[in-house]
Amino acid sequence: MKYFLRLLSYSFHYKNRFLLGLLFALLTAVLNGISLTALIPLFDSLGSDRNKRFHLDLTLPEKTILVQEVLMGSDSLDGLERIKRQIISVKLQINELTQDMEPREVVWAVCIAVFPLYLLKLGTYLLSVFCIATAGYKAVRDIRQELFQKVQRLPLTYFYKEKTGLIMSRVVNDAEIVAAVISSNLRDAVINFFYVLTHLLILIYLNSELLILACITIPVVILPVTLFTRKISSSTARFQEKLADLNGHIQEFISGIKVIRSFRQERRDTLKFQDINHKVFKRTFKGQFYLQMAPSLVELTSSIVVLGYFALGAKFIYSGRFTQGEFMAFLLTLLFLLRPLTQLSQMVGKITQANSAGKRIFEIIDRDSEIEEREGDLVLETVREGIRFESVQFAYPGTNQQVLKGIDLDIKLGETYAFVGTSGSGKSTLMDLIPRFFDPTQGKISIDGNDIRNFSLKSLRSKIGIVTQEIFLFHGTIADNIAYGTGAASRKEVVRAARLANAHDFITKMENGYDSMIGVRGLDLSGGQRQRLVIARALLRNAEIMILDEATSALDAESERLVSRALERLFKNRTTFIIAHRLSTIRRVKNIIVVEDGEIRERGDHDSLLQIGGLYKKFYESQFVESEG
């Protein structure tokens, strides 16, 4: 239950609204009880003479006084005596008005009196629904927002290991389960709780002996719920796991549709989906079966209890301890309680579901964040001196394998540095440390002599432009994708960036030019076109530090030549890092660094590295000499 209580605490952020809803729910239950007991004179008037009806009705306030005396103690007897006299006075006035009325007239009078009660009850009910439900939905909004913001701050390694569909299931499916329980279900549970509480008091008022009987029968009524709670919890947890698998498979299928079709694996994926889908069906059925079984058993036991109450009530009528009106009010109240009791039993199962969903939600919320922002972090206004790597070592969280081993570099302001090496040598990881996607396990990286961990993430990353190996475009217009992350960039600035990236020509040939819509990830564009748009995005950002992770790998020879010239003009006034496998893109770079096995093995320009005859020469020969041969 701890996770459900933690979920419920979000509703208490709106405690005024929530407490007001509780008050209106209590008023609804009280008004419903009054409307039921108000029918006593109506049933007493049917089949009874006036004198008997007057005598029996006159004893009803006395029963109320006795119950109040027991609950309130002897200290307030003087007040109770005053209340008693007032009630008897009112009752005498009512009997004087009705003593000459026929039963039919009494029925009409009671109906006219009860009708405003029902209208008032409807108003309080709607107000309680509004207050409690809106507090719940606002709480769910806050939970989903906190969950999404937490996902944004999770380490990148988390996304490498977990399926996208599983994360989506937490944000969408689990949050939806919680939404139903702490909003509409909780609203009904609160109102039903007050119904049970107030109407049990009415039963006690009608006959004090029912107090003992109620204490015995209520545990019998709710016993089936306790028997199914564990099954409901287990079934819900497994259902959500299977649903996450289903979401993950669909997301993976959509992302890899081209690969799946090229390898003719449609049937295999269909069978895999069929298997997962069938497991979701089984878990759905079991969960709903357990959820419905518990209330059904509650209804059965409640019906048996009602029959017992009915027999006992008939005995009281024959013995003269019950009036006809009291018995009918008692019976109607008891029958009315069946629905609240059944719904409260269902709520136990739903709380169990929400507890399981909350556990999975808080597993993400309670994870350690990527980088924790600290108060008092420095703001990086501009880079004035340069960047320095001092004995930097790094191993991915959860592993002991060192990816970087004692990197020492002194990066001068405004110069371009190229990093080459085999796949897995640590080039990209080294670049990931600059914007603090990860922090070094040992050593430090400093800008202008300050450890970058002392700068706020916002100010640090605002100075860095990145073009990654993985091209990602968002669903929207071409102009919006180029201007992404730059705020309100003008169309003139967008076009200038596109020209520098050699993207303007193919953009203007599209049907709507810069306003052309592109699909998710830009799959309707060629690889070279997508990469040029990403380069244009980085150019428009106009950052002081530029990181190009194989940014020209998908360009044809002509586009590469034009983009390289544009990049050379742009790099004159900024510090640039280039990661490249294609050495043709870095021939003119003066600072080439060869990384192998997490260490810096060679440094120099193109010509000096060829003269050394080391790793760089081997890379060069593998790309140019063999291709010429």
Side-chain angles (χ1 to χ4, degrees):
M1 288 292 293
K2 66 177 183 178
Y3 297 108
F4 175 72
L5 294 177
R6 186 174 171 184
L7 291 169
L8 200 59
S9 67
Y10 285 81
S11 293
F12 296 154
H13 296 165
Y14 309 95
K15 59 183 179 180
N16 293 335
R17 183 187 297 261
F18 187 78
L19 292 175
L20 194 61
L22 293 182
L23 176 62
F24 284 125
L26 177 59
L27 287 175
T28 301
V30 170
L31 289 171
N32 189 75
I34 293 174
S35 65
L36 286 174
T37 55
L39 299 177
I40 293 176
L42 186 151
F43 290 113
D44 281 340
S45 68
L46 300 176
S48 300
D49 58 70
R50 295 186 182 88
N51 293 329
K52 182 180 179 182
R53 188 168 70 244
F54 173 82
H55 171 72
L56 293 174
D57 285 351
L58 191 60
T59 65
L60 294 180
E62 297 175 357
K63 295 181 180 181
T64 305
I65 300 298
L66 291 175
V67 173
Q68 290 176 331
E69 288 175 352
V70 172
L71 295 176
M72 300 176 65
S74 58
D75 294 336
S76 55
L77 285 176
D78 293 339
L80 288 173
E81 286 296 331
R82 289 195 297 271
I83 295 173
K84 181 178 179 180
R85 288 196 296 269
Q86 291 174 359
I87 293 176
I88 293 174
S89 175
V90 172
K91 191 65 179 178
L92 287 171
Q93 294 176 11
I94 293 174
N95 277 292
E96 288 177 1
L97 292 173
T98 60
Q99 62 182 350
D100 296 328
M101 297 173 64
E102 294 296 326
R104 183 181 61 182
E105 294 174 330
V106 175
V107 170
W108 279 108
V110 171
C111 291
I112 293 172
V114 169
F115 182 70
L117 287 176
Y118 279 108
L119 289 179
L120 186 58
K121 173 193 158 187
L122 176 62
T124 57
Y125 173 76
L126 293 177
L127 288 171
S128 69
V129 167
F130 174 79
C131 293
I132 298 176
T134 53
Y137 282 120
K138 284 177 178 289
V140 173
R141 177 198 63 188
D142 295 344
I143 292 170
R144 189 178 278 122
Q145 187 70 29
E146 182 177 346
L147 183 59
F148 183 78
Q149 290 175 347
K150 181 66 178 186
V151 170
Q152 287 186 320
R153 299 194 303 271
L154 288 175
L156 291 178
T157 51
Y158 178 80
F159 299 95
Y160 300 156
K161 296 177 181 178
E162 295 289 354
K163 288 185 177 180
T164 303
L166 185 142
I167 302 173
M168 291 172 57
S169 180
R170 298 291 179 267
V171 179
V172 179
N173 299 328
D174 288 333
E176 195 60 33
I177 289 177
V178 171
V181 175
I182 69 173
S183 55
S184 56
N185 295 149
L186 180 63
R187 171 205 69 204
D188 293 338
V190 167
I191 296 175
N192 287 329
F193 171 76
F194 285 127
Y195 275 149
V196 172
L197 181 64
T198 55
H199 289 55
L200 281 177
L201 291 176
I202 291 173
L203 293 178
I204 296 169
Y205 153 74
L206 292 172
N207 192 307
S208 59
E209 295 180 24
L210 294 177
L211 175 61
I212 300 175
L213 192 58
C215 292
I216 297 173
T217 56
I218 288 178
V220 175
V221 170
I222 65 174
L223 177 63
V225 177
T226 61
L227 298 177
F228 281 89
T229 298
R230 182 174 296 180
K231 287 185 176 291
I232 292 171
S233 177
S234 175
S235 178
T236 300
R238 293 179 181 177
F239 166 72
Q240 289 302 116
E241 289 172 2
K242 297 303 178 185
L243 194 61
D245 289 341
L246 188 70
N247 288 335
H249 180 75
I250 294 173
Q251 190 276 334
E252 191 175 64
F253 171 79
I254 294 173
S255 299
I257 184 66
K258 188 174 182 179
V259 177
I260 292 171
R261 289 183 179 179
S262 63
F263 282 87
R264 302 294 301 277
Q265 293 297 300
E266 292 92 340
R267 177 170 174 76
R268 173 181 170 277
D269 270 78
T270 299
L271 293 175
K272 185 177 179 180
F273 179 83
Q274 184 179 4
D275 179 61
I276 299 174
N277 194 29
H278 182 68
K279 290 178 179 177
V280 170
F281 150 73
K282 288 176 62 178
R283 289 299 168 190
T284 304
F285 173 75
K286 283 188 176 182
Q288 290 302 314
F289 176 77
Y290 293 141
L291 278 174
Q292 297 302 321
M293 178 60 72
S296 299
L297 291 177
V298 169
E299 188 172 352
L300 174 62
T301 54
S302 300
S303 300
I304 295 174
V305 169
V306 167
L307 290 176
Y309 279 130
F310 189 86
L312 186 60
K315 178 182 176 181
F316 286 163
I317 289 179
Y318 288 126
S319 64
R321 299 168 62 186
F322 247 167
T323 68
Q324 182 174 312
E326 287 177 312
F327 174 69
M328 292 304 298
F330 158 69
L331 186 61
L332 288 175
T333 303
L334 198 58
L335 291 173
F336 177 84
L337 280 177
L338 289 180
R339 184 180 64 85
L341 284 172
T342 302
Q343 291 184 344
L344 282 175
S345 69
Q346 289 177 318
M347 187 62 185
V348 175
K350 291 173 181 176
I351 287 176
T352 305
Q353 281 186 322
N355 194 62
S356 299
K359 180 181 179 181
R360 290 186 295 274
I361 288 173
F362 291 124
E363 282 177 356
I364 293 181
I365 290 179
D366 294 338
R367 279 181 175 270
D368 293 332
S369 298
E370 169 202 21
I371 304 291
E372 291 292 343
E373 293 277 12
R374 300 172 301 183
E375 293 185 7
D377 281 343
L378 299 175
V379 176
L380 180 60
E381 299 290 348
T382 185
V383 181
R384 295 184 175 85
E385 298 175 11
I387 304 172
R388 186 177 181 82
F389 294 77
E390 301 177 43
S391 303
V392 172
Q393 298 185 31
F394 179 77
Y396 284 105
T399 66
N400 295 321
Q401 184 179 358
Q402 290 288 330
V403 180
L404 298 175
K405 306 170 184 177
I407 300 294
D408 288 292
L409 276 174
D410 193 359
I411 306 299
K412 296 180 181 179
L413 184 66
E415 294 194 5
T416 300
Y417 292 78
F419 293 81
V420 298
T422 57
S423 298
S425 60
K427 308 182 302 298
S428 296
T429 303
L430 184 62
M431 294 299 99
D432 285 342
L433 299 181
I434 300 174
R436 292 190 68 195
F437 294 144
F438 304 101
D439 279 335
T441 52
Q442 291 185 37
K444 69 174 183 178
I445 303 172
S446 58
I447 296 178
D448 298 343
N450 290 311
D451 192 327
I452 62 173
R453 284 172 286 201
N454 295 328
F455 293 114
S456 67
L457 283 178
K458 181 179 180 181
S459 65
L460 174 65
R461 291 178 180 173
S462 66
K463 304 301 178 185
I464 302 172
I466 303 174
V467 179
T468 63
Q469 266 180 292
E470 298 179 1
I471 302 170
F472 193 93
L473 296 173
F474 297 91
H475 180 75
T477 66
I478 287 180
D480 289 340
N481 269 277
I482 294 176
Y484 181 79
T486 59
S490 66
R491 179 57 60 91
K492 183 178 179 180
E493 292 171 328
V494 170
V495 172
R496 178 178 179 274
R499 288 183 182 277
L500 288 173
N502 194 34
H504 178 73
D505 290 342
F506 82 80
I507 293 174
T508 54
K509 291 179 182 178
M510 299 180 71
E511 183 177 357
N512 296 312
Y514 284 86
D515 294 318
S516 300
M517 295 292 296
I518 56 178
V520 178
R521 301 183 68 89
L523 296 179
D524 51 348
L525 301 174
S526 70
Q529 290 173 333
R530 293 199 303 271
Q531 199 149 25
R532 278 176 276 171
L533 289 181
V534 174
I535 293 173
R537 178 194 295 168
L539 295 174
L540 182 60
R541 188 178 178 85
N542 196 29
E544 296 181 40
I545 302 171
M546 189 72 70
I547 300 175
L548 304 179
D549 191 347
E550 304 195 37
T552 60
S553 60
L555 300 179
D556 54 56
E558 179 61 19
S559 296
E560 180 183 340
R561 182 179 63 82
L562 295 174
V563 170
S564 295
R565 289 182 178 177
L567 293 177
E568 286 176 7
R569 293 194 299 270
L570 186 67
F571 294 164
K572 290 180 180 179
N573 299 318
R574 67 196 72 245
T575 306
T576 306
F577 299 90
I578 302 175
I579 300 175
H581 282 301
R582 295 170 60 175
L583 302 186
S584 60
T585 61
I586 59 171
R587 281 184 174 182
R588 299 182 182 181
V589 176
K590 295 180 180 179
N591 304 292
I592 300 175
I593 299 169
V594 181
V595 181
E596 185 66 20
D597 214 13
E599 298 178 341
I600 296 176
R601 297 293 179 84
E602 300 173 4
R603 309 185 194 195
D605 59 18
H606 176 74
D607 294 331
S608 64
L609 289 174
L610 287 179
Q611 291 176 1
I612 293 174
L615 290 173
Y616 184 82
K617 185 175 182 180
K618 289 181 180 179
F619 297 150
Y620 178 80
E621 290 176 347
S622 65
Q623 290 186 23
F624 295 99
V625 177
E626 292 180 6
S627 62
E628 291 174 1

